[in-house]
Amino acid sequence: MTPTHDLFFGLAAALGFGSADFLARQATHRIGFFSTLFFLQALGGLGLLPLAFLYERSLWQVADPWILVGVLGLLNLFSALALYRAFEYGVLSVVAPLISMAPAITTALALLILGEHLGRTVLAGITLVLMGIIALSRAVPTGGPPPKNARIALVSAFAALAGFGVLAFALKYAIVAIGPMTTIVAIRLVGVAAVLPGVMAGRVRLVGPARDAWPLVIAATVIDTAAFVAYTTGIGSGSVAIVSTLSGLFSAVTLGLAALVLKERLAPASYVSIGVMLLGVTLILRG
């Protein structure tokens, strides 16, 4: 049987990432993609630091892979910048499914490099989920607000896709050494530290959220951080291939919220794609 551990953390990550992306997209339209990213990274990293110190301090050693963590922090910064840039310039129900294809990269790396061995039923389920995600990314929605610049959105989305695909795999090496929460805190604060000099020098403009935008930023930060904890906890002691694949279901969550709140009408093929993904989840459950 597939460990319940993998299913729980993978689906929890999907629900959290999907909801957080929807909220973050709303914030990017108010304060821009860079400011949204900066506050999410800073608030998320600092907010999680006390828990990481309390529960994982005993794991911290000088010999831990801190250089790798620093590199992952920069990769996370690059990927997140591309993600929120895509949200600001694109249509949510196009951008989110495209980026959710990242688990295809993560799963391939897990199978090839980590040598994870999965049963045929589980592999079939993973294949169906990934096929559904890819098909969902090709569906064109109607209605809702038009994109600010579709070309910029697509280029940014592909950059985020590649970055997050590699990051989601490489996190495994840091998590087993310093713990999931410490890893999140470290890579987020590395990202903040990397851009802070530019902000202080006035080369990068940082827009503080208006009073009515703070609830969006805080809610997105809390949900995104919780989803990140679920994902890192899942792959830390479970299957990277299964957890990452299930986390890719966040696109269906984001699409559902976009349809309900933003009135973006999904193409009929979108519902078929979601059905294929759910069938894949069923096979993983039976694996």
Side-chain angles (χ1 to χ4, degrees):
M1 292 294 290
T2 301
T4 305
H5 168 282
D6 294 349
L7 294 167
F8 173 79
F9 286 111
L11 293 176
L15 180 61
F17 285 138
S19 302
D21 283 352
F22 175 79
L23 294 172
R25 187 265 189 183
Q26 305 300 96
T28 62
H29 280 237
R30 299 193 182 191
I31 61 175
F33 72 90
F34 179 81
S35 297
T36 300
L37 170 64
F38 181 86
F39 285 108
L40 260 67
Q41 296 291 305
L43 295 176
L46 293 174
L48 195 60
L49 180 58
L51 291 177
F53 184 86
L54 180 63
Y55 292 105
E56 297 175 352
R57 175 66 181 85
S58 61
L59 299 175
W60 301 354
Q61 304 293 331
V62 175
D64 286 335
W66 296 111
I67 294 178
L68 171 63
V69 173
V71 172
L72 293 181
L74 295 177
L75 178 58
N76 179 65
L77 174 65
F78 164 80
S79 304
L81 279 172
L83 172 66
Y84 291 124
R85 190 168 188 252
F87 283 159
E88 180 177 354
Y89 286 92
V91 176
L92 185 64
S93 53
V94 172
V95 171
L98 182 61
I99 297 173
S100 71
M101 292 165 56
I105 299 174
T106 306
T107 299
L109 291 173
L111 295 177
L112 292 174
I113 298 178
L114 295 180
E116 292 189 359
H117 298 288
L118 305 174
R120 292 182 179 179
T121 302
V122 174
L123 286 174
I126 289 176
T127 301
L128 284 177
V129 171
L130 295 176
M131 287 175 59
I133 291 172
I134 293 171
L136 193 62
S137 70
R138 298 173 59 86
V140 180
T142 59
K148 291 173 61 175
N149 189 312
R151 184 183 66 82
I152 291 178
L154 287 176
V155 171
S156 300
F158 275 110
L161 162 66
F164 280 128
V166 175
L167 174 68
F169 163 77
L171 282 172
K172 175 81 172 185
Y173 295 98
I175 293 166
V176 296
I178 61 177
M181 289 186 290
T182 301
T183 299
I184 297 170
V185 170
I187 66 174
R188 288 194 164 180
L189 295 186
V190 164
V192 172
V195 301
L196 199 55
V199 173
M200 297 179 67
R203 295 183 178 182
V204 180
R205 183 168 178 265
L206 186 64
V207 179
R211 181 177 298 179
D212 63 342
W214 271 114
L216 278 175
V217 173
I218 293 175
T221 299
V222 172
I223 297 174
D224 181 69
T225 302
F228 211 167
V229 170
Y231 179 80
T232 53
T233 302
I235 68 170
S237 55
S239 167
V240 175
I242 294 176
V243 176
S244 65
T245 298
L246 292 174
S247 71
L249 292 170
F250 79 83
S251 60
V253 176
T254 307
L255 282 180
L257 291 172
L260 290 173
V261 179
L262 302 179
K263 309 303 180 185
E264 293 183 2
R265 295 187 297 276
L266 305 183
S270 299
Y271 297 100
V272 176
S273 301
I274 293 174
V276 171
M277 287 190 286
L278 293 177
L279 177 59
V281 173
T282 301
L283 289 180
I284 294 174
L285 281 167
R286 293 175 60 85

